Amino acid sequence: MAVTFLETPVEYLKGVGPARAGMLKKELQIFTFGDLLTFFPFRYVDRSKFYRISEIKDENAFIQIKAQIAHIQIVGSPRNQRLIATVSDDSGEIDLVWFHGIKWIEEKLIPLQEYIIFGKPALFNGRFNIPHPDLEVPSIEPLPLNETIRPVYSSTEKLKSKGLDFKGIGKLIKTLMLNDRFHVPENLTTEIMKPLHLLSRQEAFVNIHFPQSPELLSKAQARLKFEELFFIQLRLARQRAGRLQKQTGLPFLKVGDYVNGFYHHHLSFELTRAQKRVIKEIRADLGSGNQMNRLLQGDVGSGKTLVALMTMLIALDNGCQCCLMAPTEILANQHYQTISQMLAGMDINVQLLTGSTKTTRRTVIREGLLDGTVNLLIGTHALLEENVRFKKLGLVVIDEQHRFGVAQRAKLWKKNVIPPHVLVMTATPIPRTLAMTLYGDLDNSVIDEMPPGRKSVVTRHIYESDRYKIFSFIRGKIREGRQIYIVYPLIQESESLDLQNLEDGYQTFLSEFPPPCVVGMLHGQMKQPEKDAVMRRFVENRIHILVSTTVIEVGVDVSNASVMVIENADRFGLSQLHQLRGRVGRGGNQSYCILVSGHALSAEARKRITTMVRTTDGFEIAETDLQIRGPGDLMGTQQSGILNLRIADIVRDEKILHYARNLASDIIRDDPALTQEKNDILARHLRHIDQQSQNWGLIS
Ligand code: ADP
Ligand code: MG
């Protein structure tokens, strides 16, 4: 097939030799003309607006000034030279600084000449300067209207050394657009574009790089944001439709003795309305003849495990085996304990398989799985191993899914001829917009209600200097018979320092809380049996204060623990704080979460802490987290690649996302495989995206 204009390798562009091409590929993943064209400016500068030097108050924002060169000098040792040009306008003066290309630039600078200076001020020794600015002699002609908005592209030091600073990149794109063959084919139908008044794709590309006016810039942005979100949604909708159509599932039609027996004789409480609703949703899926692929979201303590258990019982009633996979050994153990307890007296063979299961035991379990005598297998990654095979695996439950990669999930699918139903549980609520983008092809169930009688955890922020207050508070709680968690951060880079902190904290608590009070310590560097022993003693209330790192983060359930003290709370992310807080408030006692920090807090850390104090709603916390950090940093999203959005922003562009999603699902409902002629153009673009991103991380 002939290479289209946009597919032309970037080295064929005038001004790009092999060296620059190599650099563009390596630094910016720009391989083709099309890639270059979708390398959008990350901001724009209004070239008609000039700052006065005295107005410069901020770092990190591009500005423009009009000033005259007063003085040029080269300073520093020969190995560490800088070129400084001091410029002034009628409000003051500022230094322009160059660290590279000194000789060449010095020759070009003309003293007393007035320049338009464009750059990003930096604060140095309490004074602003502008490193490596861009200089231009003002033209006598007024700027043409269509050049007042100047695009700014991100670049790297390496690219800059090849003359590809933001301006150089802009030049390449301009060259591309001036090419006779420049043409951007449309990828949306008129039917879609018309009601939204979208620009054509070509117009949008031209205006995103070289806006003819502010209005056209925002129209170009709107068009490209829509396009980006729409095709993600269209792809997800098509995948989902394809799965429902092709993927036969095991039909679980029966509700039998296991479910009924458990429900009537083993369940000591009434299910919440939300739990009932979700179980109904799951049952409908399981009975549909299609494979279930469902995401079960619910805040910590909302009773997801119970829902998972009921789902597993349905699978057993229909003659299948099931497995539950947890991200850590502690969690797998805990699931094993609670589930065995809840099922005690029922004729169900539950087994635990983790990395530390002995070989002889493994062999027994493997045989039981093969001959069908093991009904329910709980474990860690160990479940994924090739030699773990089932007689008839009907359901896979994955807990805390963000810790598992997609490839791992896919492995579980292959453990049965007809792929087992999949229920993915996550206690880190995912903001709606993110769920739509990330898990758009999974069905979604939400437990949005807590079991009755839960008192919401009271959260307080305490400064380190007021630590004595915490001690007396804890003393009171221990007298009431409660248990306490003290959590320290543990971050890779400063691991030994953190361990020292933990150790110091442990010593402090030992001396503040002498026997009969028992203080225990738990951290990731301890051997597994040691960890398990400590955890067990805490569960049995033989340890009263547990000083630990975040190893207790997920899922651990000790309902008598009612105080969670988080040291250096400013060093934790929001979702982590929320997870940790979820460890308390599990019993009937009023519980407390105390966030300890120093006085010096960054704005973000302060926002995280005040959010925690304000609300216990996991979804609200997740939304705030998304706003503070952006999707790229949220747990589990980094590796997905889906969120490497080029222009859209799932927080700010939520409206567009909703519209795109609805439209995509309408189109797919009407034409599931996009075979209708009018949808040709969409199908073609999807094929193109598929080719480009064969490693999209999605279950399908
Ligand atoms: P999650 O997995 O969502 O964090 P769990 O399933 O571990 O929550 O439930 C937390 C605690 O609440 C457990 O001790 C569980 O037995 C209890 N629980 C679950 N559902 C109910 C309910 N409907 N009523 C009372 N307690 C419940
Ligand atoms: Mg749980």
Side-chain angles (χ1 to χ4, degrees):
M1 200 176 76
V3 172
T4 65
F5 180 72
L6 294 183
E7 289 164 347
T8 313
V10 73
E11 45 266 52
Y12 291 98
L13 188 64
K14 213 170 105 199
V16 182
R20 278 184 165 188
M23 207 62 98
L24 284 170
K25 288 175 196 175
K26 201 155 131 242
E27 298 284 301
L28 301 175
Q29 282 78 53
I30 292 175
F31 292 87
T32 63
F33 287 6
D35 294 339
L36 185 59
L37 209 54
T38 44
F39 188 70
F40 299 134
F42 76 99
R43 53 174 290 125
Y44 299 86
V45 170
D46 181 351
R47 292 176 71 191
S48 61
K49 180 170 168 27
F50 292 97
Y51 272 73
R52 304 179 69 219
I53 290 174
S54 62
E55 288 172 331
I56 297 175
K57 297 251 154 45
D58 284 317
E59 277 188 294
N60 299 326
F62 278 94
I63 55 151
Q64 241 184 184
I65 56 177
K66 209 183 261 180
Q68 204 178 32
I69 294 194
H71 182 65
I72 300 171
Q73 58 178 340
I74 293 176
V75 298
S77 64
R79 277 199 306 142
N80 192 8
Q81 273 187 337
R82 308 191 294 290
L83 169 65
I84 297 180
T86 308
V87 298
S88 64
D89 65 9
D90 59 7
S91 76
E93 57 175 46
I94 191 166
D95 288 344
L96 314 180
V97 188
W98 286 266
F99 303 94
H100 326 284
I102 291 178
K103 235 182 123 109
W104 175 70
I105 291 159
E106 190 201 5
E107 275 167 19
K108 279 207 322 185
L109 292 179
I110 308 166
L112 298 182
Q113 168 71 51
E114 187 179 55
Y115 286 98
I116 293 173
I117 297 151
F118 178 80
K120 208 153 83 167
L123 202 52
F124 182 73
N125 281 345
R127 278 188 52 174
F128 284 108
N129 63 31
I130 307 180
H132 285 257
D134 194 47
L135 266 61
E136 231 171 73
V137 177
S139 115
I140 308 160
E141 309 279 312
L143 270 178
L145 189 62
N146 62 4
E147 283 179 23
T148 53
I149 307 171
R150 164 183 255 178
V152 184
Y153 299 90
S154 54
S155 182
T156 65
E157 283 308 318
K158 282 197 179 127
L159 282 166
K160 283 178 193 162
S161 74
K162 291 264 179 288
L164 292 177
D165 56 359
F166 75 92
K167 217 173 157 191
I169 293 172
K171 249 184 224 154
L172 293 185
I173 294 174
K174 190 158 234 167
T175 311
L176 187 76
M177 289 187 175
L178 291 174
N179 189 302
D180 290 341
R181 289 176 60 218
F182 173 67
H183 169 63
V184 183
E186 186 50 66
N187 60 9
L188 294 175
T189 60
T190 335
E191 208 179 337
I192 295 174
M193 291 173 47
K194 217 161 181 188
L196 292 171
H197 305 288
L198 294 181
L199 292 186
S200 76
R201 196 157 185 245
Q202 171 132 339
E203 280 175 292
F205 273 118
V206 170
N207 279 285
I208 202 76
H209 291 292
F210 303 107
Q212 305 289 301
S213 69
E215 293 70 37
L216 277 167
L217 173 58
S218 54
K219 285 191 129 181
Q221 287 170 324
R223 147 86 209 203
L224 293 168
K225 284 174 176 191
F226 174 80
E227 173 185 319
E228 183 166 45
L229 294 171
F230 173 73
F231 279 106
I232 291 174
Q233 294 303 327
L234 191 65
R235 195 164 190 270
L236 289 167
R238 192 191 51 176
Q239 252 164 8
R240 190 167 166 274
R243 172 166 59 77
L244 290 181
Q245 203 182 31
K246 284 197 302 266
Q247 211 53 269
T248 332
L250 299 154
F252 290 173
L253 301 169
K254 255 196 353 212
V255 166
D257 293 346
Y258 286 121
V259 172
N260 289 325
F262 176 77
Y263 193 72
H264 295 297
H265 304 299
H266 289 253
L267 195 58
S268 55
F269 42 73
E270 187 65 21
L271 295 177
T272 63
R273 254 175 319 164
Q275 282 171 319
K276 286 183 186 161
R277 173 173 42 79
V278 166
I279 290 172
K280 216 183 246 167
E281 289 166 0
I282 290 173
R283 274 199 54 197
D285 266 9
L286 296 177
S288 72
N290 294 320
Q291 185 213 19
M292 173 170 82
N293 236 317
R294 192 168 274 278
L295 179 68
L296 175 58
Q297 294 191 67
D299 225 325
V300 258
S302 61
K304 294 183 296 295
T305 312
L306 194 76
V307 168
L309 182 59
M310 300 281 292
T311 310
M312 294 193 269
L313 293 173
I314 298 176
L316 298 189
D317 270 336
N318 287 275
C320 286
Q321 298 163 292
C322 13
C323 69
L324 189 167
M325 185 163 78
T328 65
E329 196 138 337
I330 294 184
L331 250 188
N333 263 304
Q334 181 137 31
H335 277 311
Y336 177 69
Q337 303 297 341
T338 30
I339 288 176
S340 308
Q341 244 165 43
M342 293 183 97
L343 298 180
M346 290 182 72
D347 182 21
I348 297 174
N349 183 353
V350 187
Q351 294 295 334
L352 176 70
L353 182 71
T354 68
S356 47
T357 306
K358 295 261 161 14
T359 320
T360 44
R361 182 94 209 106
R362 262 168 207 265
T363 316
V364 175
I365 293 176
R366 279 209 298 266
E367 280 165 11
L369 289 169
L370 272 178
D371 67 20
T373 48
V374 172
N375 307 109
L376 206 175
L377 181 65
I378 296 173
T380 54
H381 293 78
L383 302 192
L384 297 172
E385 280 161 27
E386 196 66 44
N387 57 18
V388 177
R389 294 202 203 92
F390 295 78
K391 184 172 181 207
K392 190 175 182 191
L393 179 64
L395 170 71
V396 172
V397 179
I398 304 176
D399 193 9
E400 309 294 351
Q401 87 91 27
H402 56 263
R403 303 213 170 182
F404 290 107
V406 177
Q408 294 172 318
R409 274 178 264 157
K411 274 191 192 169
L412 284 166
W413 278 52
K414 305 208 172 91
K415 291 194 182 276
N416 205 55
V417 185
I418 298 179
H421 297 289
V422 178
L423 184 67
V424 173
M425 300 197 280
T426 168
T428 311
I430 302 162
R432 264 174 325 138
T433 51
L434 194 57
M436 269 181 207
T437 316
L438 210 48
Y439 302 102
D441 78 321
L442 298 189
D443 297 304
N444 199 354
S445 285
V446 180
I447 307 186
D448 50 6
E449 178 187 7
M450 286 291 183
R454 290 284 164 76
K455 301 189 179 77
S456 88
V457 180
V458 172
T459 305
R460 292 276 180 273
H461 176 204
I462 298 262
Y463 290 110
E464 264 153 24
S465 48
D466 295 334
R467 182 176 298 284
Y468 63 94
K469 290 186 188 162
I470 304 175
F471 292 143
S472 63
F473 179 75
I474 292 178
R475 267 187 206 106
K477 288 298 150 195
I478 289 191
R479 267 197 298 276
E480 290 170 25
R482 301 287 83 80
Q483 288 163 277
I484 320 290
Y485 290 107
I486 316 285
V487 176
Y488 283 83
L490 185 57
I491 293 177
Q492 231 74 67
E493 303 97 68
S494 57
E495 201 161 14
S496 52
L497 191 71
D498 281 335
L499 273 180
Q500 190 55 47
N501 279 342
L502 179 78
E503 182 69 36
D504 292 348
Y506 175 59
Q507 295 301 336
T508 310
F509 279 92
L510 275 181
S511 59
E512 288 283 333
F513 296 86
C517 185
V518 182
V519 183
M521 180 164 70
L522 188 68
H523 60 76
Q525 313 235 309
M526 288 159 58
K527 295 247 156 57
Q528 194 58 43
E530 272 180 89
K531 278 194 269 190
D532 290 346
V534 172
M535 210 49 226
R536 196 163 347 103
R537 288 171 61 216
F538 190 65
V539 172
E540 291 165 358
N541 198 3
R542 290 190 290 140
I543 287 176
H544 308 112
I545 299 179
L546 182 62
V547 180
S548 93
T549 58
T550 50
V551 287
I552 56 141
E553 185 185 338
V554 214
V556 177
D557 196 356
V558 180
S559 59
N560 188 48
S562 71
V563 181
M564 163 70 61
V565 178
I566 304 178
E567 296 281 346
N568 297 311
D570 50 309
R571 283 178 50 193
F572 291 89
L574 255 182
S575 71
Q576 223 182 354
L577 290 172
H578 180 62
Q579 283 287 326
L580 286 168
R581 181 167 60 184
R583 298 307 105 215
V584 295
R586 316 199 117 219
N589 303 303
Q590 177 61 58
S591 294
Y592 304 85
C593 174
I594 302 172
L595 305 171
V596 188
S597 82
H599 281 274
L601 287 175
S602 72
E604 274 190 19
R606 195 170 288 282
K607 178 143 194 210
R608 291 196 294 269
I609 291 176
T610 50
T611 304
M612 288 296 293
V613 172
R614 187 187 68 235
T615 180
T616 53
D617 178 339
F619 282 91
E620 192 182 333
I621 288 170
E623 294 282 355
T624 311
D625 203 20
L626 184 61
Q627 279 160 17
I628 297 180
R629 298 198 292 164
D633 288 334
L634 286 194
M635 216 179 234
T637 59
Q638 293 96 331
Q639 71 275 41
S640 76
I642 303 170
L643 288 169
N644 292 336
L645 296 175
R646 285 190 176 277
I647 185 164
D649 175 320
I650 59 171
V651 178
R652 265 179 310 203
D653 302 322
E654 190 176 344
K655 281 213 184 77
I656 304 180
L657 174 58
H658 279 276
Y659 186 92
R661 181 175 171 78
N662 289 336
L663 185 62
S665 67
D666 287 349
I667 291 173
I668 292 295
R669 191 172 318 115
D670 183 44
D671 182 12
L674 295 176
T675 46
Q676 291 174 21
E677 196 183 328
K678 67 168 185 190
N679 290 328
D680 260 4
I681 190 169
L682 303 179
R684 208 174 323 130
H685 191 71
L686 273 190
R687 272 198 300 277
H688 173 68
I689 297 178
D690 283 340
Q691 277 168 8
Q692 283 198 331
S693 54
Q694 268 146 1
N695 47 4
W696 259 36
L698 271 186
I699 310 177
S700 71

